[in-house]
Amino acid sequence: MTMLLPETVSVAVAAVAVDAVTSRMPVAFVSHSDCGLHDTGWGHVEHVGRLRAIPSALKYHPELFGDLLHHEGRHATPEELALGHDAAYIERVRTFADQGGGHLDPDTVVSTGSYLAATASVGCVLDAIDLVLDGRASRAFCAVRPPGHHAVHDRAMGFCLFGNIGLGALYALERHELQRVLIIDWDVHHGNGTQSLVEHDARIRFVSIHQSPWYPGTGAAHERGEFGTLWNVPMAPGLSSTTYTAALWQAIDNATRDWTPQLVLVSAGFDSLAGDPLGGFTWTAEDFATMTRELGRRTRHWCDGRMVSALEGGYAPAATATAAIAHLQALVDDAS
Ligand SMILES: [Zn+2]
């Protein structure tokens, strides 16, 4: 008995130590003050107030605020942007912003601070991926703008300058030598830009649920990509939220059958909330909490919970912030 005691104690101590390490691994809240420099004007639906609403709402959740690792991201370099974008286009955006900006397309405004904002937006996602893959955070949510999932290789589109999440996936392959990255896009619009950045790489799988017919008009179910790595789920507006949720899980199940991701990236657009001015989906903040918990459970099973999400759309600022808080709280609850 006396011989067994030290071993029993050491096993118990080891178990406590592992548990302590696991429970201390924080969820990161990643942002960059330069994201506010993208000045589209208050008359534009993608204005700076929609981003400011998230930290403002977080102040009313002091326990959640205290649980998060607050991390200021960095600026992506031109070389990192070139993982998915044309070098001449990158330089064109920088020069256009330097010269005072204007419209890059009918929807997409550039101001003098937009290059700094857009590179910070991408840089936050890249930093978040480093945090999660280097074991400094369990999961990460990036509160960033401009959004990214409509930006294609050589062109801005739909409020987006550079492909935050698409670049993140390509960066994870390049920098961290991953072989299997899953992207889930629950924004109400099809992530055509993300699709265009990743569909030529068989190591990335892309699942997008979106309203159809709707902007930008792409994302038909038959768009599977040259390697069959795209799962597009076009849906009519006004259906029950459970219908959208079931359709999304069906696509995720199909994408992960006999294929286990090493990292999950989420284009967390909250314009798929009921009442958003730019969409007709019916999800609620509680639905996003439920989906996040379930995705957390699956991600733990797939890849030790490694998940990075980034804000895309969401044009009712208060509702977007409420959903972002619900998403964050679910990340924290699931990780602890
Ligand atoms: Zn959207």
Side-chain angles (χ1 to χ4, degrees):
M1 190 66 189
T2 50
M3 290 296 287
L4 285 173
L5 187 57
E7 187 183 352
T8 307
V9 170
S10 68
V11 167
V13 168
V16 168
V18 168
D19 190 50
V21 168
T22 305
S23 64
R24 275 205 302 271
M25 180 88 84
V27 171
F29 179 78
V30 183
S31 59
H32 196 299
S33 54
D34 282 357
C35 290
L37 297 177
H38 179 52
D39 183 5
T40 53
W42 288 105
H44 195 289
V45 289
E46 200 292 286
H47 58 67
V48 67
R50 51 186 293 277
L51 186 58
R52 287 180 188 160
I54 297 173
S56 296
L58 201 48
K59 288 176 187 164
Y60 292 96
H61 298 80
E63 197 169 327
L64 173 61
F65 185 96
D67 283 340
L68 296 168
L69 168 67
H70 296 265
H71 180 86
E72 177 92 347
R74 61 180 171 86
H75 292 278
T77 65
E79 292 73 25
E80 288 167 339
L81 300 177
L83 288 170
H85 292 289
D86 176 58
Y89 167 67
I90 297 164
E91 180 58 19
R92 181 170 164 239
V93 174
R94 191 187 67 76
T95 306
F96 195 56
D98 279 352
Q99 294 173 348
H103 279 79
L104 275 177
D105 86 347
D107 301 319
T108 312
V109 176
V110 166
S111 68
T112 51
S114 293
Y115 184 78
L116 281 173
T119 53
S121 194
V122 176
C124 283
V125 173
L126 305 189
D127 249 12
I129 288 169
D130 288 343
L131 287 173
V132 167
L133 290 177
D134 294 344
R136 288 173 285 156
S138 57
R139 285 89 188 268
F141 171 70
C142 305
V144 293
R145 66 182 284 276
H149 74 151
H150 295 307
V152 299
H153 177 65
D154 58 358
R155 190 160 48 93
M157 265 185 77
F159 318 156
C160 302
L161 299 179
F162 301 125
N164 305 330
I165 284 288
L167 288 170
L170 295 166
Y171 174 82
L173 303 181
E174 173 87 8
R175 164 75 173 74
H176 294 278
E177 301 181 345
L178 299 192
Q179 296 298 316
R180 296 178 304 281
V181 177
L182 174 66
I183 301 174
I184 297 167
D185 187 326
W186 66 43
D187 186 283
V188 79
H189 304 98
H190 177 233
N192 64 298
T194 305
Q195 175 172 306
S196 75
L197 295 192
V198 306
E199 69 180 322
H200 306 295
D201 196 312
R203 296 171 293 180
I204 303 171
R205 296 194 172 189
F206 177 61
V207 174
S208 176
I209 187 167
H210 42 270
Q211 185 171 325
S212 179
W214 203 234
Y215 182 88
T218 51
H222 63 75
E223 291 177 28
R224 297 295 321 284
E226 63 184 285
F227 296 114
T229 48
L230 310 175
W231 281 264
N232 280 305
V233 188
M235 300 287 287
L239 306 176
S240 69
S241 65
T242 53
T243 302
Y244 296 120
T245 303
L248 178 59
W249 287 124
Q250 180 68 58
I252 293 170
D253 284 345
N254 291 338
T256 55
R257 189 163 293 126
D258 302 324
W259 186 90
T260 305
Q262 296 166 297
L263 172 69
V264 176
L265 302 177
V266 180
S267 265
F270 295 116
D271 48 10
S272 43
L273 282 164
D276 189 276
L278 295 192
F281 275 15
T282 54
W283 273 322
T284 65
E286 184 51 38
D287 289 323
F288 283 112
T290 304
M291 286 195 292
T292 301
R293 281 193 293 271
E294 175 61 18
L295 190 56
R297 190 187 67 76
R298 294 184 189 212
T299 305
R300 259 184 284 118
H301 174 68
W302 290 326
C303 52
D304 294 331
R306 291 191 289 264
M307 173 164 51
V308 171
S309 54
L311 182 68
E312 297 281 2
Y315 302 101
T320 294
T322 300
I325 298 296
H327 173 61
L328 271 167
Q329 185 68 62
L331 288 176
V332 169
D333 292 347
D334 184 71
S336 53

